[in-house]
Amino acid sequence: MLPPEVKSVLEELRAERIRGASWMARRGAEAYLILADLLEGDELRKALIELRHELPRINPTMASLYNLSRFIPVTDNPLLVKSRAEEFLRLIDEAKKTIGNIGSELIEDGDTVITHSFSSAVFEILRTAKAKGANFKVILTESAPDYEGIALASALEREGIRFEVITDAQLGLFARNATIALVGADNVTRDGAVVNKAGTYLLALACHDNGVPFYVATESFKLHPELKSDEVEILERPYARQGYRVRNFLFDITPWKYIRGIITELGILVPPREI
Amino acid sequence: MLPPEVKSVLEELRAERIRGASWMARRGAEAYLILADLLEGDELRKALIELRHELPRINPTMASLYNLSRFIPVTDNPLLVKSRAEEFLRLIDEAKKTIGNIGSELIEDGDTVITHSFSSAVFEILRTAKAKGANFKVILTESAPDYEGIALASALEREGIRFEVITDAQLGLFARNATIALVGADNVTRDGAVVNKAGTYLLALACHDNGVPFYVATESFKLHPELKSDEVEILERPYARQGYRVRNFLFDITPWKYIRGIITELGILVPPREI
């Protein structure tokens, strides 16, 4: 049985609507720290087995939760759980910084970066590029119905980065004004498809049609070692407008062929030549 | 000088946010009927010259207002204005019915029709297909930020047509579930590009990528005899969210090459072979 303190973190993760896969992974690792403080021996082992099952189920498309649940060993020893969870948190931080450095090299003076939804990896790239002195602007979507884009606008404002907010439906209209597209990912499948906020695939198509390079920024812990794109189950959340039910699948799937590169802390992954 | 009764129709047209080009054209024709009741002789002639200038300026991308302003002759004779305006209104009605008949032949049992925004021509096709006994369903977008999609949902509900509402950003995700796409147009340029509610171009790209035939339904009075796609000026309306200005261009432009056919009352126009 999971202790109530850990269960409440799982509930929090299930209810989360704005933050992305990196935040979820971090909060998940914190659940392991809490667990290691509360249980030991056989109770701990049973709880770890349960968590390995429960954590990925919170969002089956999120590779980060899957990878986290396998990064922590099933053991009787709380110290081992604690040190692995802390290592995971450290790797998240380091990965984010490295992605910021690698990705920022793609942004040049005069660039117009187009993005969709709020990716903390993309934000780190923009922040780093700005700190390195690049003069660029960002086009971003409001990202209905949860409006993560407005949170990104506010974060960019604090960094002094110029931006323009658009409605989601204008992605095609504004893609042709962009010089580079940068989005995050909740999951990269084994066959190289990017699972990210619904609308990402539309942006990729519009970029392809307008010759704008389309990059994805993501920590390597979001690469799913097993899942293929046709096996992705997309989470849906309830949403209604004026009394009508509105379908609200959170993600869509962008195939490898529309992606110029996936920026990770290990370097930029590019599609194999045969694709 | 235009009489206040006519000016107020122009104001109404400028303020209109939900209804499409057909409704605008009809209301514009009614402005001429009002004018013909109020003025004659030289005053009428001057007002007609002013209206020919003012009407297309309400929305420069709307071919219907342009064509209407040229359908009505500049004359001293109010009877002539009245009969031409009535003819225009009759042609609108007849065109809509014919489009419904022609377009409904494209819809078969088991089809899933995907659309974006609220086109009265598309609605007429769906209504006619249903009346002919076809069993199909419709996927439609809520169409932020004015939510014309909800008005369409309500109209389909009254007709007993099955439908599913999605957010605009899910167009790519749902396009692969569709068997045919049907949208309206505010304007078809001389070079065959379709100017329609922003997001239409994204739907066309997603249909192209998934092998779904993409059709446009529009009365021939929306074919612009002069304007080319690179000359289209897209109207923007003010919109803000949480204190941030959000760009809100109403339309985007879908090139000929992504369009399987344009359904008009004259028949289905198909791209010339060389495109």
Side-chain angles (χ1 to χ4, degrees):
Chain A
M1 280 289 289
L2 294 173
E5 294 89 337
V6 173
K7 276 191 178 164
S8 84
V9 176
L10 297 188
E11 278 315 308
E12 187 189 340
L13 288 172
R14 274 187 203 102
E16 175 53 41
R17 285 178 165 265
I18 304 293
R19 295 176 177 106
S22 303
W23 183 88
M24 302 274 284
R26 174 180 301 279
R27 202 74 190 100
E30 286 164 6
Y32 282 101
L33 291 179
I34 295 169
L35 192 69
D37 272 349
L38 294 171
L39 302 182
E40 57 177 9
D42 199 46
E43 275 191 338
L44 175 62
R45 176 180 293 272
K46 280 179 183 155
L48 286 168
I49 290 170
E50 194 174 340
L51 213 47
R52 185 169 281 196
H53 183 68
E54 285 300 317
L55 208 55
R57 278 188 54 206
I58 288 173
N59 187 337
T61 66
M62 264 189 193
S64 56
L65 295 177
Y66 176 92
N67 285 327
L68 167 63
S69 75
R70 270 136 193 87
F71 191 83
I72 312 288
V74 172
T75 170
D76 295 344
N77 183 352
L79 290 181
L80 197 53
V81 171
K82 193 158 180 269
S83 77
R84 285 291 275 179
E86 280 166 350
E87 189 184 343
F88 193 85
L89 286 169
R90 206 187 62 244
L91 289 173
I92 291 181
D93 283 341
E94 287 176 7
K96 190 66 53 70
K97 282 202 197 87
T98 309
I99 289 169
N101 270 316
I102 295 174
S104 67
E105 296 300 319
L106 296 171
I107 298 178
E108 291 172 3
D109 268 349
D111 266 346
T112 298
V113 182
I114 190 164
T115 190
H116 178 54
S117 190
F118 188 162
S119 150
S120 56
V122 169
F123 178 66
E124 184 66 19
I125 290 173
L126 299 173
R127 215 184 54 76
T128 310
K130 170 80 180 176
K132 286 180 175 173
N135 182 18
F136 59 96
K137 87 170 208 192
V138 179
I139 296 170
L140 62 112
T141 54
E142 56 176 8
S143 305
D146 292 320
Y147 304 106
E148 308 91 298
I150 302 301
L152 176 58
S154 156
L156 292 175
E157 198 170 42
R158 283 193 297 272
E159 298 290 331
I161 296 171
R162 285 182 299 138
F163 64 87
E164 208 166 13
V165 188
I166 65 172
T167 61
D168 302 355
Q170 288 171 97
L171 272 172
L173 195 62
F174 278 85
R176 46 177 190 174
N177 302 337
T179 51
I180 181 172
L182 268 181
V183 297
D186 279 74
N187 182 354
V188 180
T189 63
R190 212 176 79 192
D191 45 341
V194 165
V195 182
N196 193 45
K197 175 80 191 241
T200 300
Y201 166 56
L202 296 170
L203 175 58
L205 290 174
C207 286
H208 183 75
D209 200 43
N210 288 280
V212 177
F214 181 88
Y215 285 93
V216 176
T218 185
E219 302 90 335
S220 65
F221 65 76
K222 292 188 199 158
L223 308 180
H224 204 298
E226 293 184 6
L227 204 70
K228 290 177 70 180
S229 57
D230 57 6
E231 297 163 344
V232 172
E233 279 177 52
I234 299 178
L235 198 73
E236 185 175 13
R237 289 213 182 107
Y239 171 51
R241 179 162 295 276
Q242 293 169 39
Y244 289 96
R245 177 191 182 199
V246 180
R247 303 308 302 261
N248 185 27
F249 288 102
L250 299 193
F251 307 106
D252 63 18
I253 299 171
T254 302
W256 223 168
K257 63 179 171 179
Y258 296 121
I259 300 168
R260 181 71 61 92
I262 299 182
I263 307 162
T264 76
E265 76 276 17
L266 310 170
I268 301 181
L269 311 178
V270 294
R273 206 174 279 267
E274 63 265 32
I275 286 186
Chain B
M1 278 290 289
L2 293 173
E5 294 88 338
V6 173
K7 275 192 178 162
S8 84
V9 177
L10 297 188
E11 279 315 308
E12 188 189 338
L13 288 171
R14 274 188 203 101
E16 176 51 42
R17 288 181 161 261
I18 303 292
R19 295 176 176 105
S22 302
W23 184 89
M24 302 274 284
R26 172 179 302 277
R27 201 77 189 97
E30 287 165 3
Y32 282 102
L33 291 180
I34 296 170
L35 192 68
D37 273 347
L38 294 169
L39 302 182
E40 58 177 7
D42 199 46
E43 276 191 337
L44 176 62
R45 177 181 293 273
K46 280 180 183 155
L48 286 168
I49 291 171
E50 194 174 339
L51 213 46
R52 185 170 282 198
H53 183 68
E54 285 300 317
L55 207 55
R57 276 189 56 207
I58 288 173
N59 187 338
T61 66
M62 265 188 193
S64 56
L65 295 177
Y66 176 92
N67 286 326
L68 167 64
S69 74
R70 270 137 193 87
F71 191 83
I72 312 287
V74 172
T75 170
D76 293 345
N77 183 353
L79 289 180
L80 196 53
V81 171
K82 193 157 178 270
S83 77
R84 285 290 276 177
E86 280 166 352
E87 189 184 344
F88 193 85
L89 286 169
R90 206 188 62 244
L91 289 173
I92 291 182
D93 283 341
E94 286 175 9
K96 190 66 53 70
K97 281 202 197 86
T98 309
I99 289 170
N101 270 316
I102 295 175
S104 66
E105 296 299 320
L106 296 172
I107 299 179
E108 291 170 3
D109 268 350
D111 266 347
T112 298
V113 183
I114 191 165
T115 189
H116 177 54
S117 192
F118 188 162
S119 150
S120 55
V122 169
F123 177 67
E124 184 65 20
I125 290 173
L126 299 174
R127 215 184 54 77
T128 310
K130 169 82 180 176
K132 287 181 175 173
N135 181 18
F136 59 96
K137 84 172 213 193
V138 179
I139 297 170
L140 61 113
T141 54
E142 55 175 9
S143 305
D146 292 321
Y147 303 105
E148 308 91 298
I150 303 300
L152 176 58
S154 157
L156 292 175
E157 197 170 42
R158 282 193 298 274
E159 298 290 331
I161 296 171
R162 286 181 299 140
F163 63 88
E164 208 167 12
V165 189
I166 64 172
T167 62
D168 302 357
Q170 288 171 95
L171 272 173
L173 195 62
F174 278 85
R176 47 177 187 173
N177 301 338
T179 51
I180 181 172
L182 269 182
V183 298
D186 278 74
N187 182 354
V188 180
T189 64
R190 212 176 78 192
D191 46 340
V194 165
V195 182
N196 193 46
K197 175 78 192 240
T200 300
Y201 167 55
L202 295 171
L203 176 58
L205 290 174
C207 286
H208 184 75
D209 199 44
N210 288 279
V212 178
F214 181 88
Y215 285 93
V216 176
T218 184
E219 301 90 336
S220 65
F221 65 76
K222 293 189 199 157
L223 308 179
H224 205 297
E226 293 183 5
L227 204 69
K228 289 177 70 180
S229 57
D230 57 5
E231 297 163 345
V232 173
E233 279 176 52
I234 299 179
L235 199 72
E236 185 175 12
R237 289 214 181 106
Y239 171 50
R241 179 162 295 275
Q242 294 170 35
Y244 289 95
R245 177 192 183 200
V246 179
R247 303 307 302 261
N248 186 27
F249 288 102
L250 299 194
F251 307 107
D252 63 18
I253 300 170
T254 301
W256 223 168
K257 64 177 170 179
Y258 297 122
I259 300 168
R260 181 69 61 90
I262 299 182
I263 306 160
T264 75
E265 76 277 16
L266 310 170
I268 301 181
L269 311 177
V270 294
R273 205 174 279 270
E274 63 265 31
I275 282 185

